[in-house]
Amino acid sequence: MKKLLALFLALAMVLGLAACSGSGTPAGTTAPAASSTGKDTTPADPTTSGEVSHIKLGLITLMTVPSAEATKNVENDINKYLKETLGISNYVLDLSIISIADFATTIPMELASGSGSDLVMMLGTMGNFVDNGYLIPLNDYLDNELKPTVDKIGNILENGKIGGNVYMVPRYFGTVLDWKFIYNKALVDGKYDMSKVHDMASLEDCLAALKEAYPDEHFLVYADQFPSIYSYDMNVSGVGAVGGVGSSVSSAVATVGDDPTLVNFYETDAFKTAIRKAYEFRQKGYLDPEGSANTQTHDAVVMSGSSKGVIMGHSADCEGVATMFDKMNTYGAEFGAVSIGIGDLYTDTVGIGISFSCKDPKSAANFINLLYTDEFVWDTLIYGSEGQDYVWNEDHTVCRYPDGLDANSVPYNCIYSCGIIGNGFQSLPFENSTTGSNSEYGMQLMQEAWAPPLYGFTPSNTNVMNEVAAVSNVVSQYVKPLIYGDVNPDDYYPQFIEALKAAGIDTIIADYQTQVNDWLAAKK
């Protein structure tokens, strides 16, 4: 289930959306003020024709996009359930599936033009969407359509606020990660005592021993997780979503420890340590030799056997993750896993909202609520249609994939979307689960995690939009080679910092700090 969180390290600046059409009578909606760009964010005038609204959702998938036929079957199952079981007759769901690879290119254009989906999925982009007037406030629905969800997620809702308004319902999910080194047991057993591995320093000793035993093998895929791992270790937490590299460090702006004073994340000891280690590991041959030139995902590389180990963050325990890799790899390997660090709470910028172009935001809010409170709706979106994509046993207690099929070959499977949308603690009881999920463990991690001083704070970029764009461009140019260990940081890093300052990083920090001071004062 936590696969996609590792991928967020490379996708923190991806833009997200899903959209609304159809007709109906939205009640209690409040038109937000026009944004600084001049976009009219007033929801479209509802019609009074009594026609059924079509609420459009473009669901992101990290797996193969299902066929139109398979997706339609899932859509039909949900709409039948809405009408016949829940008694909802004023709207239906229009479902489409969007590949994460296409998400950053197709969705922003649709969002800017006011076409496309109603339900806006966000991956670290709420501040940008609010600044551009793409979202409507959800305040009027919090005590009505969204109240069950609000009661369920509690303080997590703070992650969806800007300027006192709620624009996003954050996912309810195990966002605190147990970072693990996941390895090929057949090669490691007898060569190194894995009980010695518990952090990055002890992992380095392990990798050195494995390299000596297997000079031609690589036991790590990439190093782009290092900034997050060292940030957790040093309690460095990202603020906002400008030019970031990962879940805990989703911004070039950050705090260190309990101090609410903002700093340039890329000048912290956490980032500098991460890029030095990435380069060192590349030079020693621990990492995939292609570095950032390899476009495969972390787990795809290790599942295929080209790398014999990987670092990934999950909200499942070590046993669950190892079992997941056992079942999902394509070359019959058995895996082990050891924890090398536990993450912190962070202002989670993944969730869902409603587009300014939605004609029936009341119904859209109702469906958002179902994502968090109705297991059938959520399970069907994630796992697919009964009979087509899974079957139950005789007493309806455990399900499995149909005969001859697995997670990769069923017509519809969006299991790796489970961490982007709705209540990710829900799941079907698969007899041979390949998700490695463990809801109780994930909840425990969240309850015990350290909270940074600005947890729940999301800054506005209204005053610094030009600087935000410039800094993001600089990060896009410099960060990837650094965090993959492609370049020597002694030569490349000073150029990066100089370019950040020229782009206006200090101006952004100063503007954010003013907002932080006001936010803290309002909380007293």
Side-chain angles (χ1 to χ4, degrees):
M1 266 183 146
K2 294 305 297 181
K3 167 183 175 178
L4 74 87
L5 261 298
L7 293 179
F8 280 172
L9 300 177
L11 295 171
M13 295 306 292
V14 169
L15 299 180
L17 148 86
C20 193
S21 72
S23 57
T25 306
T29 59
T30 300
S35 72
S36 59
T37 63
K39 178 181 287 294
D40 180 7
T41 59
T42 304
D45 291 334
T47 66
T48 57
S49 65
E51 295 179 4
V52 175
S53 297
H54 287 252
I55 304 300
K56 293 185 179 179
L57 168 64
L59 179 64
I60 308 167
T61 183
L62 281 77
M63 305 182 77
T64 301
V65 174
S67 68
E69 180 183 3
T71 302
K72 189 64 176 179
N73 288 336
V74 171
E75 178 188 287
N76 289 340
D77 283 355
I78 292 175
N79 286 331
K80 180 180 180 182
Y81 176 80
L82 293 179
K83 183 176 182 178
E84 298 183 2
T85 302
L86 300 184
I88 295 173
S89 58
N90 62 305
Y91 76 86
V92 294
L93 176 70
D94 284 357
L95 177 63
S96 60
I97 310 299
I98 302 169
S99 170
I100 193 68
D102 298 328
F103 191 58
T105 54
T106 60
I107 297 306
M109 291 186 293
E110 292 180 349
L111 190 54
S113 67
S115 64
S117 298
D118 296 316
L119 299 176
V120 183
M121 296 181 68
M122 285 166 270
L123 309 178
T125 51
M126 179 177 66
N128 174 269
F129 288 175
V130 170
D131 290 339
N132 285 283
Y134 296 157
L135 305 174
I136 65 169
L138 304 178
N139 300 28
D140 289 341
Y141 309 108
L142 300 180
D143 292 328
N144 299 291
E145 289 78 15
L146 290 171
K147 190 176 189 309
T149 291
V150 172
D151 292 342
K152 179 182 289 290
I153 69 175
N155 288 337
I156 293 175
L157 188 66
E158 294 295 317
N159 293 314
K161 291 183 178 180
I162 292 181
N165 291 316
V166 174
Y167 290 96
M168 178 183 78
V169 181
R171 59 188 170 168
Y172 186 50
F173 193 58
T175 55
V176 173
L177 307 185
D178 180 349
W179 288 90
K180 302 173 183 68
F181 173 55
I182 305 156
Y183 58 91
N184 184 307
K185 280 180 60 66
L187 297 181
V188 173
D189 287 354
K191 299 296 183 181
Y192 196 80
D193 180 3
M194 296 305 293
S195 67
K196 297 179 180 179
V197 179
H198 52 84
D199 57 16
M200 285 294 291
S202 54
L203 176 62
E204 186 172 356
D205 294 336
C206 170
L207 293 173
L210 294 176
K211 192 64 179 178
E212 183 176 355
Y214 305 100
D216 297 328
E217 296 285 2
H218 304 282
F219 281 85
L220 279 186
V221 181
Y222 310 123
D224 59 326
Q225 314 99 323
F226 290 10
S228 283
I229 295 173
Y230 284 111
S231 291
Y232 288 131
D233 185 56
M234 301 179 190
N235 289 145
V236 176
S237 183
V239 176
V242 51
V245 298
S247 53
S248 67
V249 287
S250 57
S251 178
V253 182
T255 57
V256 180
D258 292 319
D259 188 347
T261 303
L262 300 177
V263 299
N264 180 348
F265 165 69
Y266 296 111
E267 290 186 302
T268 63
D269 289 340
F271 182 73
K272 289 186 282 189
T273 300
I275 60 176
R276 285 196 298 267
K277 283 298 178 184
Y279 183 69
E280 178 185 338
F281 280 23
R282 278 289 295 280
Q283 297 305 301
K284 292 181 176 179
Y286 301 162
L287 300 171
D288 187 293
E290 291 187 54
S292 64
N294 192 336
T295 58
Q296 287 186 292
T297 60
H298 296 73
D299 58 337
V301 176
V302 74
M303 292 297 193
S304 66
S306 60
S307 175
K308 300 304 188 292
V310 65
I311 293 176
M312 292 183 71
H314 298 77
S315 63
D317 56 24
C318 289
E319 181 180 357
V321 169
T323 300
M324 174 183 71
F325 273 72
D326 288 348
K327 294 175 179 177
M328 293 292 284
N329 76 85
T330 59
Y331 67 110
E334 182 180 359
F335 286 85
V338 290
S339 176
I340 59 173
I342 304 297
D344 303 327
L345 285 172
Y346 58 89
T347 300
D348 190 13
T349 55
V350 179
I352 192 166
I354 300 175
S355 167
F356 76 97
S357 62
C358 180
K359 295 179 181 179
D360 189 358
K362 182 178 180 179
S363 293
N366 178 274
F367 189 79
I368 289 176
N369 183 67
L370 295 178
L371 294 174
Y372 292 78
T373 61
D374 191 292
E375 290 192 20
F376 179 87
V377 170
W378 191 89
D379 285 341
T380 304
L381 279 173
I382 298 302
Y383 294 98
S385 177
E386 181 181 352
Q388 170 183 270
D389 307 299
Y390 67 91
V391 294
W392 290 96
N393 65 354
E394 291 184 0
D395 59 5
H396 213 74
T397 57
V398 177
C399 57
R400 58 176 175 78
Y401 294 112
D403 292 342
L405 301 177
D406 57 23
N408 297 308
S409 58
V410 289
Y412 179 105
N413 189 355
C414 289
I415 183 61
Y416 291 136
S417 299
C418 64
I420 305 176
I421 192 169
N423 181 359
F425 290 118
Q426 301 173 123
S427 61
L428 286 176
F430 267 79
E431 63 181 5
N432 291 306
S433 174
T434 57
T435 66
S437 63
N438 185 322
S439 295
E440 291 184 4
Y441 187 69
M443 291 181 181
Q444 177 186 339
L445 290 174
M446 294 183 71
Q447 292 167 357
E448 297 177 354
W450 175 79
L454 301 183
Y455 178 67
F457 169 75
T458 300
S460 168
N461 294 328
T462 300
N463 299 327
V464 288
M465 294 184 74
N466 292 335
E467 289 83 359
V468 166
V471 166
S472 296
N473 287 335
V474 169
V475 170
S476 297
Q477 177 183 349
Y478 284 91
V479 162
K480 194 171 184 180
L482 283 167
I483 64 176
Y484 279 81
D486 295 346
V487 295
N488 188 338
D490 291 342
D491 301 325
Y492 204 67
Y493 176 73
Q495 301 174 37
F496 174 42
I497 297 301
E498 182 179 353
L500 283 174
K501 292 185 178 297
I505 183 62
D506 293 331
T507 301
I508 296 173
I509 291 174
D511 185 80
Y512 281 12
Q513 189 68 61
T514 298
Q515 297 180 53
V516 165
N517 296 342
D518 292 342
W519 183 77
L520 291 172
K523 289 175 69 70
K524 291 182 179 179

